[in-house]
């Protein structure tokens, strides 16, 4: 209802502005109705151009002040700091260019506003200048490209032999996630959607004939990861495109029906540790304050929140795309082993179904 | 040679004009073959589609800001899709999808390019009409039919297409996956197939006209930058649109005839489908092979328009004409080899990601050259701040702001965490959406006198610009923060993730700005319609411009010029040119139209 009121108010403001111009026009009728900018228009709009430059700067400053803390905090994976560093450098660069070029653009628009009798400078070319502002972007971009490609290739170089990685399958379907652990042999059994057998509780189509699959463990609720150990995710989807997005780990890869995609990272901070992170705990406090207000207003979705890593779907996948998520728990190797021991292996699952 | 022959023929034509050219209402206003009328038809159709597209964005913005709230507006406009005024998640996705489709294709491709290519190519190169008036007419009517089909698809029982404007299969291929992928998607595909035919006919016509029908003296290096932009845009369209048609055809095959181009290993709603061996990634390649050049199909005409307007209103030549042409060509070439940057995390080979990062960041170079050249054109000018000029300066501003974040998204490593978040939405809305819209508005304000013979009200134009400019930044600048917080796009509501709760007020701010911006467009709409009938009659050359469209009479006539087509003696940018003694070339006048021969002791530039 407040929203509707807001809209009405806005519309009324718009109408008021329009009426004001009508009055403005009527008051000066007869003087100049060519509808071509005259000195007065140039002056007013020239000053407004300068004002707009200030508006952009203020908006930037205000945005950082008001929303600077919403952005993702401390990265929780080994490559995260490198990613954030590259992001920081790129951001610093584009902010510098943004501030300078916008200043020039709007300042010139203000400074050189037209006046009758003023002579513009006939200035058609300057090879030297153009060379300079071609070569500077070339050099700067070359640096960025090299750094970016270095980061990208290290990230995407997924070596299963190196450093005892744990293999986990992420399985996507409308509208939930499942995780399959490779079990003691650390090898995932063969699987295909054609082998799905709901009656036997084989929900992700593991091949019963493949002995590697017997010790596989399917988790339908939570994704547990041991801290400090490289994880290689093998991703599958059973119906449409999904995207496994784990923003706290700076990780994302699409899940494509008919093929297996992969992504790898090493979690470095356990969920418990992350909850103590100053940025995160501040964010949690802030959000819980918002939720408490909501609770006071009788909203259902307002329980106090405790930080958790989360896996989101980030590729449009249908009506409940907005709620396709899975909780990620990063814990010590011992806790992880204990949790895994408590889960049913695939062999046990189908045995109990029979 | 043949071009020359038809030229003479047309000249004869013009001389005995009026004798046997009795035009009926139908041949003049409906099935017209006159490029000026066709351009108006494109513009008005495009604007109506724009109203629909923008209205949709306001609806879903309201849902994002006040999720799950009941609105009377929803109930009235969405009917059964908003029971008790609460928006349904399916229609949310449909609105997002159709908003994207309409704005990208119907408004900013044909609405922008169709309007101004048609209006300006013959008028600025000195031709009586397009190379083929008939093809031109067919092109418009195909566009009209595709618009109608797209609008009809909104009323389908199971809902319009809702798989995102990129219509990635399998979501778009399987009605089981989503209601909108039934008849709604079929109509979407049919509409787009017709649209592509329309676009191709138009583009071929533009290219042929620019190559063959230039008037005497109008060498390629004397073409105004508008024409260069339209010309190159048409070429990119010819190269890339057919690929989208093939993608659409293969998708139609998968949907209706059981083939498996894009589908494989699918288990949905309790059953295994027969599809085997296809790949959705293939579709992504085909789609983006058009989809990325499409960005420049949208943007280049806007850049061409602003080049012309900034030069005219600065009373200065455009700085670095040759560099501007070269950067248009470079952007056009690069635009066809960067499509993979939309697919860094699609599961394609990471090595390809490296290649596409390289080519993508290269595009920043010609783009930077363009931005610097615009700024230098303003330097020491005598800026006439007409509404068209304001929108052109606005375009340069949003082009820079939006373009810079492209450096982040084009970097495969950085893309990982911002891919498909609001960061992307903010980026492309600023760099192509808002920029191209500004270009379109600039073009309308500038050439309105040429199109309708009347002037638009400048004060309303100023108010329109300033509200729009403030709101555009108000919507899309904060959006970057939402993206950096990791909020995925196309979420019906963010309330299922407590970690996004602190963003609710940002969303409200953006939506309020969007609603004000939407209301400001009403000022424009009123100004546009009112001025057609009651606007002040336009002088022949209101902006003191050099280009030859302003040598035609204000009243439209068949064949554009009553007498012979004027001959061109110089480039289009001799503004404020002085002789050695510091006097203007034509005393007392700070511009030298292209039709004026080289004066005594005037130095000709190398153009």
């Amino acid at each position: 209802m407040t929203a509707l009121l807001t809209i009405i108010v806005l519309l009324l403001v718009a109408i008021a502005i329009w009426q004001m111009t009508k009055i403005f026009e009527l008051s000066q009728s007869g003087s100049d109705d060519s509808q071509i900018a005259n000195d007065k228009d140039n002056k007013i709009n020239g000053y407004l151009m300068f004002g707009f430059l200030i508006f952009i700067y203020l908006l930037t400053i205000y945005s950082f002040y008001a929303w600077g803390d919403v952005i993702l905090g401390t990265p929780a994976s080994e490559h995260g700091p490198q990613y954030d560093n590259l992001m920081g450098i790129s951001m610093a660069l584009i902010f510098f260019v943004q501030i300078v070029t916008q200043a020039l653009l709007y300042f010139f628009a203000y400074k050189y506003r037209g006046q009758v009798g003023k002579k513009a400078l006939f200035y058609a070319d300057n090879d030297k200048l153009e060379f300079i502002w071609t070569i500077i972007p070339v050099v700067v971009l070359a640096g960025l490209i090299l750094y970016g490609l270095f980061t990208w290739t290290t990230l995407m170089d997924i070596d299963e032999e190196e450093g005892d990685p744990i293999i986990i399958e992420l399985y996507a379907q409308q509208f939930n996630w499942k995780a399959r652990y490779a079990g003691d042999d650390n090898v995932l059994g063969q699987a295909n959607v054609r082998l799905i057998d709901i009656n036997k509780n084989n929900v992700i189509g593991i091949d019963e004939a493949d002995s590697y699959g017997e010790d596989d463990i399917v988790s339908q609720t939570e994704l547990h990861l041991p801290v400090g150990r490289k994880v290689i995710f093998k991703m599958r989807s059973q119906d449409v495109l999904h995207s496994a997005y784990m923003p706290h780990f700076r990780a994302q890869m699409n899940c494509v029906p008919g093929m297996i995609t992969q992504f790898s990272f090493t979690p470095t901070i356990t969920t418990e540790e992350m909850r103590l992170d100053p940025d995160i705990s501040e964010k949690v406090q802030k959000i819980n304050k918002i939720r408490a207000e909501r609770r006071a207003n009788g909203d259902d979705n307002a329980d106090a929140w405790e930080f958790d890593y989360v896996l989101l779907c980030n590729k449009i996948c249908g009506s409940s795309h907005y709620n396709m998520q899975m909780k990620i728990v990063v814990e010590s190797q011992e806790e992880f082993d204990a949790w895994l021991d408590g889960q049913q292996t695939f062999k046990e699952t189908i045995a109990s179904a029979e | 040679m043949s071009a020359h022959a038809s030229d003479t023929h047309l000249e004869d034509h013009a001389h005995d004009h009026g004798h046997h050219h009795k035009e009926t209402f139908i041949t003049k206003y409906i099935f017209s073959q006159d490029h000026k009328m066709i351009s108006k038809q494109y513009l008005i159709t495009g604007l109506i589609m724009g109203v629909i597209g923008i209205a949709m964005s306001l609806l879903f913005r309201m849902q994002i800001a006040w999720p799950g709230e009941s609105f009377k507006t929803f109930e009235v406009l969405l009917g059964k899709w908003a029971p008790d005024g609460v928006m349904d998640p399916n229609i949310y996705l449909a609105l997002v999808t159709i908003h994207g489709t309409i704005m990208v294709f119907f408004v900013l491709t044909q609405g922008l390019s169709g309007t101004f290519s048609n209006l300006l190519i013959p008028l600025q190169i000195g031709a009586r009409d397009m190379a083929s008036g008939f093809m031109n007419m067919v092109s418009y009517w195909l566009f009209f039919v595709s618009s109608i089909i797209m609008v009809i698809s909104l009323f389908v029982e199971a809902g319009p297409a809702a798989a995102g404007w990129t219509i990635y299969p399998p979501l778009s291929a399987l009605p089981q996956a989503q209601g909108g992928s039934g008849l709604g998607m079929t109509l979407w595909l049919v509409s787009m197939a017709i649209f592509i035919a329309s676009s191709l006919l138009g583009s071929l016509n533009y290219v042929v006209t620019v190559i063959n029908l230039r008037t005497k003296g109008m060498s390629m290096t004397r073409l105004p930058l508008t024409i260069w932009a339209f010309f190159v845009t048409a070429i990119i369209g010819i190269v890339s649109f057919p690929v989208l048609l093939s993608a659409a055809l293969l998708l139609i095959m998968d949907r209706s005839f059981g083939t498996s181009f894009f589908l494989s290993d699918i288990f949905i709603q309790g059953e295994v489908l027969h599809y085997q061996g296809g790949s959705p990634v293939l579709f992504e390649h085909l789609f983006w092979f058009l989809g990325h050049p499409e960005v420049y199909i949208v943007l280049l005409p806007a850049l061409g328009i602003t080049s012309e307007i900034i030069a005219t209103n600065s009373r200065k030549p455009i700085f670095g004409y040759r560099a501007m042409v070269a950067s248009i060509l470079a952007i056009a070439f690069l635009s066809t080899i960067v499509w993979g940057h939309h697919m860094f995390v699609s599961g394609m080979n990471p090595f390809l990601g490296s290649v596409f990062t390289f080519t993508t960041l290269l595009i920043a170079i010609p783009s930077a050259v363009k931005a610097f050249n615009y700024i230098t054109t303003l330097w020491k000018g005598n800026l006439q701040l007409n509404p068209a000029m304001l929108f052109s300066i606005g375009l340069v501003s949003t082009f820079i702001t939006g373009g810079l974040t492209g450096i982040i998204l084009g970097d495969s490593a950085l893309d990982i965490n911002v891919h498909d978040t609001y960061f992307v939405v903010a980026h492309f809305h600023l760099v192509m959406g808002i920029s191209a819209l500004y270009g379109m508005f600039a073009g309308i304000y500038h050439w309105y006198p040429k199109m309708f013979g009347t002037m638009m009200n400048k004060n309303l134009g100023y108010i329109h610009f300033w509200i729009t400019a403030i709101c555009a930044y108000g919507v899309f600048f904060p959006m970057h923060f939402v993206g950096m917080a990791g909020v995925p796009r196309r979420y019906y509501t963010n309330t299922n993730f407590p970690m996004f709760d602190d963003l609710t007020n940002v969303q409200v701010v953006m939506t309020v700005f969007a609603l004000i911006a939407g209301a400001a467009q009403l000022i424009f709409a009123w100004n546009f319609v009112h001025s057609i009938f009651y606007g002040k009659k336009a002088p022949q050359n209101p902006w003191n411009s050099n280009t030859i469209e302003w040598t035609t009479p204000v009243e439209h006539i068949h064949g554009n010029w009553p007498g012979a087509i004027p001959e061109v003696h110089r480039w289009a940018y001799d503004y404020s040119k002085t002789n050695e003694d510091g006097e203007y070339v034509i005393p007392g006048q700070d511009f030298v139209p292209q039709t004026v021969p080289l004066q005594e002791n005037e130095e000709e530039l190398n153009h």
Side-chain angles (χ1 to χ4, degrees):
Chain A
M1 204 51 225
T2 40
L4 194 66
L5 272 174
T6 328
I7 296 164
I8 294 169
V9 169
L10 294 177
L11 277 176
L12 287 175
V13 169
I15 293 168
I17 294 172
W18 168 46
Q19 287 300 325
M20 266 149 50
T21 29
K22 292 297 280 183
I23 296 165
F24 180 65
E25 271 166 43
L26 286 173
S27 68
Q28 49 162 216
S29 63
S31 53
D32 168 25
D33 67 340
S34 68
Q35 305 304 340
I36 299 167
N38 54 31
D39 277 5
K40 198 169 139 230
D41 297 319
N42 289 338
K43 192 172 161 195
I44 294 172
N45 285 291
Y47 277 102
L48 284 173
M49 281 285 170
F50 194 74
F52 194 70
L53 176 66
I54 294 169
F55 166 75
I56 296 181
Y57 284 176
L58 287 180
L59 180 67
T60 311
I61 294 166
Y62 179 78
S63 298
F64 272 101
Y65 166 74
W67 304 309
D69 59 347
V70 302
I71 60 176
L72 293 162
T74 320
S77 60
E78 207 173 87
H79 71 268
Q82 196 188 356
Y83 175 97
D84 280 14
N85 191 31
L86 179 57
M87 180 66 99
I89 292 173
S90 307
M91 275 290 178
L93 176 81
I94 68 177
F95 265 101
F96 173 74
V97 178
Q98 164 82 349
I99 288 166
V100 172
T101 48
Q102 300 286 355
L104 290 176
L105 177 72
Y106 288 110
F107 179 71
F108 287 168
Y110 153 77
K111 173 102 193 282
Y112 300 108
R113 61 188 183 276
Q115 268 169 337
V116 170
K118 200 160 114 181
K119 226 177 219 173
L121 176 72
F122 187 84
Y123 188 59
D125 246 328
N126 185 327
D127 289 347
K128 207 193 245 168
L129 260 183
E130 286 174 81
F131 179 74
I132 290 172
W133 62 53
T134 311
I135 212 71
I136 290 177
V138 169
V139 173
V140 174
L141 284 170
L144 272 186
I145 290 174
L146 285 177
Y147 189 4
L149 289 183
F150 176 72
T151 314
W152 170 253
T153 35
T154 16
L155 252 174
M156 297 317 256
D157 180 25
I158 296 170
D159 187 353
E160 291 178 26
E161 306 301 315
E162 190 199 300
D164 184 30
I166 175 171
I167 312 275
I168 301 175
E169 177 179 80
L170 281 181
Y171 184 85
Q173 69 184 98
Q174 288 180 328
F175 299 95
N176 64 65
W177 295 98
K178 293 181 175 52
R180 174 160 63 125
Y181 294 82
D184 295 334
D185 57 11
N186 206 20
V187 178
L188 290 164
Q190 296 289 324
N192 187 288
V193 293
R194 284 164 213 278
L195 303 172
I196 291 174
D197 190 339
I198 305 291
N199 297 329
K200 278 182 157 177
N201 217 359
N202 183 4
V203 287
I204 63 172
I206 303 171
D207 187 353
E208 286 176 48
D210 183 0
S211 59
Y212 283 120
E214 286 177 0
D215 61 347
D216 287 4
I217 291 161
V218 178
S219 166
Q220 307 209 24
T221 48
E222 290 177 352
L223 172 64
H224 284 244
L225 303 174
V227 72
R229 185 164 166 203
K230 187 162 98 172
V231 188
I232 294 181
F233 290 102
K234 302 278 177 183
M235 298 162 183
R236 279 201 298 146
S237 163
Q238 73 167 38
D239 37 38
V240 300
L241 289 176
H242 299 275
S243 189
Y245 180 38
M246 294 168 263
H248 301 103
F249 303 97
R250 313 293 187 259
Q252 175 165 216
M253 183 52 67
N254 286 5
C255 307
V256 185
M259 68 189 263
I260 296 170
T261 56
Q262 53 179 5
F263 197 91
S264 167
F265 66 80
T266 310
T268 50
I269 303 175
T270 63
T271 303
E272 290 299 329
E273 287 165 354
M274 198 55 149
R275 286 175 183 161
L276 300 175
D277 180 89
D279 286 350
I280 294 292
S281 56
E282 200 177 306
K283 187 179 167 96
V284 170
Q285 274 175 18
K286 187 176 155 197
I287 286 175
N288 277 333
K289 218 171 114 196
I290 298 172
R291 293 178 78 81
E293 279 167 30
R294 270 206 236 155
R295 198 159 47 234
N297 292 333
D299 195 325
D300 298 336
N301 176 19
D303 297 339
W305 175 57
E306 198 174 29
F307 174 82
D308 268 309
Y309 295 120
V310 64
L311 162 66
L312 306 89
C313 177
N314 195 13
K315 182 64 75 189
I316 181 173
C317 66
S319 60
S320 294
H321 170 52
Y322 65 91
N323 193 19
M324 181 168 163
Q325 54 173 310
M326 193 182 213
K327 181 171 143 183
I328 304 175
V329 179
V330 179
E331 58 204 350
S332 68
Q333 185 72 45
E334 297 77 48
E335 289 167 305
F336 174 76
D337 290 338
W339 173 80
L340 207 58
D341 281 342
Q343 308 293 312
Q344 257 188 344
T345 62
F346 178 62
K347 199 176 174 186
E348 291 162 358
T349 311
I350 46 172
S352 67
E354 278 164 357
Chain B
M1 199 57 223
S2 65
H4 210 144
S6 75
D7 228 43
T8 355
H9 169 72
L10 273 167
E11 263 170 52
D12 295 340
H13 216 93
H15 285 306
D16 55 15
H17 182 262
H19 290 296
H20 55 93
H21 245 305
K22 275 276 175 267
E23 286 190 298
T24 63
F25 180 81
I26 289 180
T27 59
K28 188 163 178 208
Y29 293 105
I30 300 176
F31 294 108
S32 170
Q33 299 191 18
D34 186 293
H35 71 102
K36 301 184 288 297
M37 182 55 71
I38 292 175
S39 110
K40 286 196 249 183
Q41 291 174 326
Y42 268 115
L43 179 60
I44 288 166
T45 317
L47 287 177
I48 292 171
M49 293 304 274
V51 170
I52 300 174
I54 290 174
M56 287 178 162
S57 73
L58 299 181
L59 292 181
F60 64 69
R61 274 295 342 158
M62 281 164 70
Q63 159 62 25
I64 304 172
W66 301 288
E69 198 131 335
S70 169
F71 291 102
K72 193 84 194 142
T73 336
F74 289 176
E75 211 173 340
V76 173
L77 290 174
L78 302 175
K80 69 163 180 172
W81 293 106
D84 301 323
V86 179
M87 189 183 282
D88 178 272
N90 287 298
I91 202 68
Y92 174 83
L93 293 180
L95 287 172
V96 173
T97 302
I98 305 290
H99 163 75
T101 309
I102 285 185
M103 295 311 286
V104 170
F105 293 111
F106 291 82
V107 181
L108 295 176
T109 302
Q110 287 294 55
L112 173 63
S113 210
T115 302
F116 291 104
S117 296
N118 266 303
L119 179 73
L120 295 178
I121 288 178
L123 284 173
Q124 288 196 333
I125 66 172
R128 297 278 183 211
D129 205 317
M130 281 287 175
S132 165
F134 177 74
M135 224 161 100
N136 212 13
M137 177 188 83
V138 174
S139 165
Y140 169 73
W141 282 102
L142 287 177
F143 170 56
F144 183 80
V145 170
S146 75
S147 306
I148 295 290
I149 295 176
M150 190 57 78
V151 171
I152 287 175
S153 84
L154 302 178
F155 300 96
V156 167
E157 179 70 31
W165 79 281
T166 54
I167 58 155
Y168 284 173
L171 184 61
S172 62
L174 305 172
Q176 301 95 309
Q178 193 184 35
S181 295
L183 182 59
M185 181 56 70
T186 306
L187 289 174
W188 193 99
L189 288 166
V190 171
S191 166
M192 280 313 296
I194 298 173
F195 179 92
I196 293 166
S198 153
S199 162
L200 280 179
L201 286 182
S203 297
L204 288 169
N205 221 345
Y206 306 150
V207 169
V208 172
T209 309
V210 172
I211 292 177
N212 285 322
L213 296 185
R214 279 169 288 126
T215 184
K216 190 162 180 229
M218 183 65 89
S219 60
M220 289 303 272
T221 49
R222 279 180 182 166
L223 283 178
L225 286 169
T226 33
I227 302 302
W228 266 109
F230 298 146
F231 176 60
V232 174
T233 302
I235 294 174
I236 318 177
I238 294 169
V239 170
S240 56
F241 260 115
V243 180
L244 180 65
L245 184 64
S246 69
L249 282 180
L250 296 185
L251 186 54
I252 290 172
M253 298 277 209
D254 274 10
R255 287 165 49 82
S256 308
F257 304 106
T259 56
S260 301
F261 291 107
F262 306 131
L263 308 175
S264 186
D265 295 338
I266 291 167
F267 179 92
I268 195 164
Q269 297 204 343
E271 60 171 334
V272 175
L273 305 185
H274 71 273
Y275 301 106
Q276 181 73 62
S279 168
V281 177
L282 170 64
F283 179 87
E284 294 178 41
H285 279 295
L286 292 175
F287 182 87
W288 287 112
F289 191 90
L290 159 88
H292 199 80
E294 171 64 23
V295 171
Y296 293 95
I297 291 174
V298 161
L299 196 58
L300 281 180
L303 292 175
I305 286 169
T306 38
S307 304
E308 176 66 26
I309 293 174
I310 286 184
T312 305
N313 285 294
S314 297
R315 314 310 297 159
K316 276 186 68 185
I318 190 82
F319 182 76
Y321 175 86
R322 276 168 301 164
M324 290 301 249
V325 173
S327 62
I328 290 177
L329 292 170
I331 288 174
F333 171 70
L334 288 172
S335 79
T336 58
I337 52 166
V338 298
W339 77 89
H341 67 222
H342 297 268
M343 301 167 58
F344 287 140
V345 294
S346 67
M348 74 176 181
N349 188 321
F351 174 69
L352 272 178
S354 309
V355 176
F356 283 119
T357 297
F358 179 71
T359 53
T360 301
L361 293 193
L362 284 184
I363 282 204
I365 296 163
S367 308
V369 169
K370 279 193 109 55
F372 287 130
N373 282 10
Y374 283 133
I375 293 174
T376 315
T377 306
L378 297 182
W379 179 69
K380 291 200 172 177
N382 182 21
L383 310 189
Q384 303 303 308
L385 296 172
N386 287 300
M389 180 64 165
L390 298 187
F391 275 105
S392 302
I393 296 173
L395 179 147
V396 179
S397 174
T398 54
F399 181 63
I400 294 173
T401 312
L404 283 171
T405 50
I407 292 176
I408 289 181
L409 290 163
D411 193 322
S412 49
L414 290 177
D415 182 62
I416 292 171
N417 217 46
V418 282
H419 183 86
D420 262 347
T421 64
Y422 272 89
F423 195 83
V424 180
V425 182
H427 160 73
F428 73 74
H429 272 94
L430 279 174
V431 78
M432 89 175 227
I434 298 297
S435 297
L437 267 182
Y438 281 2
M440 187 165 172
F441 283 133
I444 293 172
Y445 280 105
H446 192 78
W447 281 288
Y448 193 90
K450 194 78 259 162
M451 290 183 115
F452 297 100
T454 51
M455 307 291 288
M456 283 178 94
N457 183 302
K458 67 179 173 187
N459 288 327
L460 290 181
Y462 291 141
I463 292 172
H464 174 215
F465 171 75
W466 287 111
I467 297 179
T468 309
I470 288 174
C471 293
Y473 271 109
V475 175
F476 295 111
F477 194 82
M479 201 179 269
H480 293 97
F481 290 82
V482 179
M484 299 284 283
V487 181
R489 64 197 280 209
R490 294 167 177 157
Y491 267 20
Y492 165 69
T493 163
N494 301 322
T495 49
N496 293 73
F497 295 87
M499 64 183 272
F500 299 144
D501 276 350
D502 53 348
L503 292 159
T504 320
N505 59 356
V506 197
Q507 300 282 11
V508 172
V509 168
M510 292 192 290
T511 300
V512 169
F513 273 120
L515 290 169
I516 300 174
Q521 305 319 304
L522 296 176
I523 302 174
F524 168 77
W526 192 83
N527 194 3
F528 183 88
V529 177
H530 186 265
S531 302
I532 292 180
F533 302 104
Y534 307 107
K536 187 186 144 56
K537 196 172 175 328
Q540 195 183 19
N541 188 1
W543 319 117
N544 292 336
S545 187
N546 284 341
T547 39
I548 60 176
E549 76 270 28
W550 303 106
T551 61
T552 60
V554 178
E555 291 294 324
H556 285 179
I557 58 163
H558 187 65
N560 295 341
W561 283 271
I565 302 180
E567 188 183 337
V568 164
H569 299 278
R570 56 177 77 233
W571 72 331
Y573 299 105
D574 276 341
Y575 291 106
S576 302
K577 191 179 184 187
T578 51
N579 288 325
E580 275 168 31
D581 55 6
E583 269 304 305
Y584 285 132
V585 171
I586 301 176
Q589 180 178 319
D590 66 352
F591 63 109
V592 193
Q594 284 187 279
T595 49
V596 175
L598 213 62
Q599 305 292 296
E600 254 178 76
N601 67 39
E602 184 190 349
E603 191 190 351
E604 201 198 1
L605 285 154
N606 236 354
H607 288 292

